Amino acid sequence: MHKYFLLLAFIVIVGCDRDESPTITELIEIEIDNETFTFSEDNVFMNENCGNVFLNTSPVTSGDSRFRIEMVITTNGRIKDVTYIDLSNNNSHFKAADYVPAEVFFIENYNFSPTEKTMNFEFSGTLYEIDNSQNTKSITGKVKTDNLEFVDCLFEPWKISADINQENFNVVDIQGDVIETAEADGTVISVFSEWEGISDDGFRIAIITQQRLEDMETGTYPFGKNNSLNLVIIEKYNGPYEAIKFEDRNGEWENFQYEGELIIEEQISIPLQRTKGSFTINAYKDDQVVYSVRNGRFSI
């Protein structure tokens, strides 16, 4: 099995003196379990890279509490990751709920301007201790920067986009698997390829093919309810609110029967290998269309 992950860089930015230049980054206030913490500029670091904004606080001590916070927010305001690290309690990690962080952690009053290098938003919600969902943290706060650092993106990020029942499918993570079955002499018998985009509100769209995606010929691949390969599927997460490392679970997903089209439009090898195309899906439950997926596009 070969596993591919979208790699994103994180670079720390140091604030400058308030009297000499405009404020670089300011996390005005955070409230955790009804206790308020105020951060100075030097305790908060932010930068944008490849469509994501990374935020990291220095360790903060208040009374018996010592913690730090990490956040990754897409530039369109979706939640990729929120982590609270309890340094005073064996480095316990609390994270936003797997697959559905947007249902329990909220980004509000979001503004992002790459031309002006500004970003600000408010957040509030619940974080769950990894592998112990009964232990939670309630957290609220505000983030503000008027001189956001932009780090050059050194590659073209993978993309999957679509409209689900006329609402945007907001991808925050893309992963891929390729499984080869081979004879003892190395002769390949079969190939199973799956690329999936995961949103922050409980949807997963997967492109499943019987060849490596880059080996697919351009053209249209229609699929029906009985197809299991060369198709695109949509699934909805129906599991509990909890945080478990992704590689340790598959989640509890509702699946459907599918009809639609997978279209391979272009195979690009220079400067990077990319397969580009489009798709449509009708997802059925008891012969009724539950999800209609239109304007599907991908570049992987």
Side-chain angles (χ1 to χ4, degrees):
M1 177 184 297
H2 304 284
K3 199 156 198 171
Y4 304 85
F5 296 97
L6 182 60
L7 301 178
L8 297 168
F10 176 78
I11 297 179
V12 172
I13 307 154
V14 179
C16 63
D17 187 85
R18 183 186 295 269
D19 294 331
E20 294 180 358
S21 65
T23 300
I24 286 186
T25 300
E26 201 170 18
L27 185 58
I28 301 172
E29 189 174 87
I30 288 184
E31 184 177 290
I32 300 172
D33 293 340
N34 298 317
E35 185 175 1
T36 300
F37 301 86
T38 300
F39 290 73
S40 68
E41 295 170 25
D42 293 337
N43 292 129
V44 184
F45 314 101
M46 292 179 66
N47 70 271
E48 187 278 344
N49 178 243
C50 294
N52 292 272
V53 175
F54 298 81
L55 180 151
N56 186 15
T57 70
S58 297
V60 175
T61 301
S62 178
D64 294 332
S65 298
R66 181 171 171 79
F67 67 92
R68 57 188 292 240
I69 292 174
E70 301 172 354
M71 299 179 69
V72 185
I73 306 296
T74 68
T75 51
N76 62 345
R78 309 303 301 195
I79 303 165
K80 184 175 177 67
D81 182 55
V82 182
T83 304
Y84 171 98
I85 305 170
D86 190 346
L87 301 171
S88 57
N89 185 23
N90 297 319
N91 290 334
S92 298
H93 281 56
F94 294 77
K95 298 178 76 70
D98 290 345
Y99 307 116
V100 285
E103 292 187 4
V104 291
F105 197 91
F106 308 100
I107 304 294
E108 298 177 316
N109 298 321
Y110 178 84
N111 288 287
F112 170 72
S113 173
T115 56
E116 297 180 1
K117 298 184 178 181
T118 60
M119 181 180 187
N120 59 81
F121 60 90
E122 300 172 7
F123 61 86
S124 62
T126 301
L127 305 180
Y128 299 82
E129 185 175 12
I130 291 180
D131 296 329
N132 181 15
S133 61
Q134 301 303 310
N135 197 10
T136 63
K137 290 284 183 185
S138 296
I139 178 172
T140 65
K142 300 177 181 179
V143 174
K144 179 181 180 181
T145 177
D146 57 15
N147 194 12
L148 182 65
E149 181 78 8
F150 285 77
V151 179
D152 289 340
C153 189
L154 301 180
F155 61 96
E156 179 188 342
W158 300 324
K159 298 176 183 178
I160 297 177
S161 63
D163 295 327
I164 303 173
N165 292 351
Q166 300 182 339
E167 298 289 335
N168 288 338
F169 172 57
N170 297 292
V171 175
V172 296
D173 193 35
I174 298 176
Q175 299 179 3
D177 281 339
V178 177
I179 302 172
E180 289 186 349
T181 303
E183 299 280 10
D185 62 0
T187 302
V188 175
I189 301 173
S190 65
V191 177
F192 173 85
S193 172
E194 179 174 349
W195 290 89
E196 65 177 22
I198 299 174
S199 72
D200 66 353
D201 56 357
F203 287 100
R204 173 166 64 181
I205 289 179
I207 302 168
I208 302 171
T209 60
Q210 62 185 8
Q211 295 175 274
R212 292 177 180 273
L213 200 56
E214 61 266 31
D215 294 334
M216 297 282 288
E217 293 186 5
T218 57
T220 299
Y221 297 79
F223 54 87
K225 295 179 181 180
N226 296 320
N227 290 95
S228 59
L229 292 171
N230 296 338
L231 78 164
V232 187
I233 68 172
I234 179 173
E235 296 178 319
K236 182 70 172 71
Y237 177 72
N238 287 328
Y241 294 136
E242 59 184 355
I244 299 175
K245 293 179 181 179
F246 276 14
E247 58 266 29
D248 293 339
R249 62 180 282 179
N250 292 318
E252 299 176 27
W253 298 88
E254 181 180 11
N255 52 39
F256 309 92
Q257 291 183 306
Y258 306 99
E259 291 181 341
E261 288 185 338
L262 166 64
I263 303 175
I264 306 297
E265 298 177 349
E266 190 175 12
Q267 295 285 10
I268 300 171
S269 57
I270 298 175
L272 294 173
Q273 174 66 49
R274 285 292 183 271
T275 301
K276 296 186 177 184
S278 59
F279 57 86
T280 60
I281 315 169
N282 284 329
Y284 293 85
K285 196 79 168 182
D286 298 326
D287 294 324
Q288 298 294 317
V289 176
V290 180
Y291 296 111
S292 174
V293 181
R294 297 295 182 266
N295 301 317
R297 303 288 308 174
F298 64 89
S299 175
I300 296 172

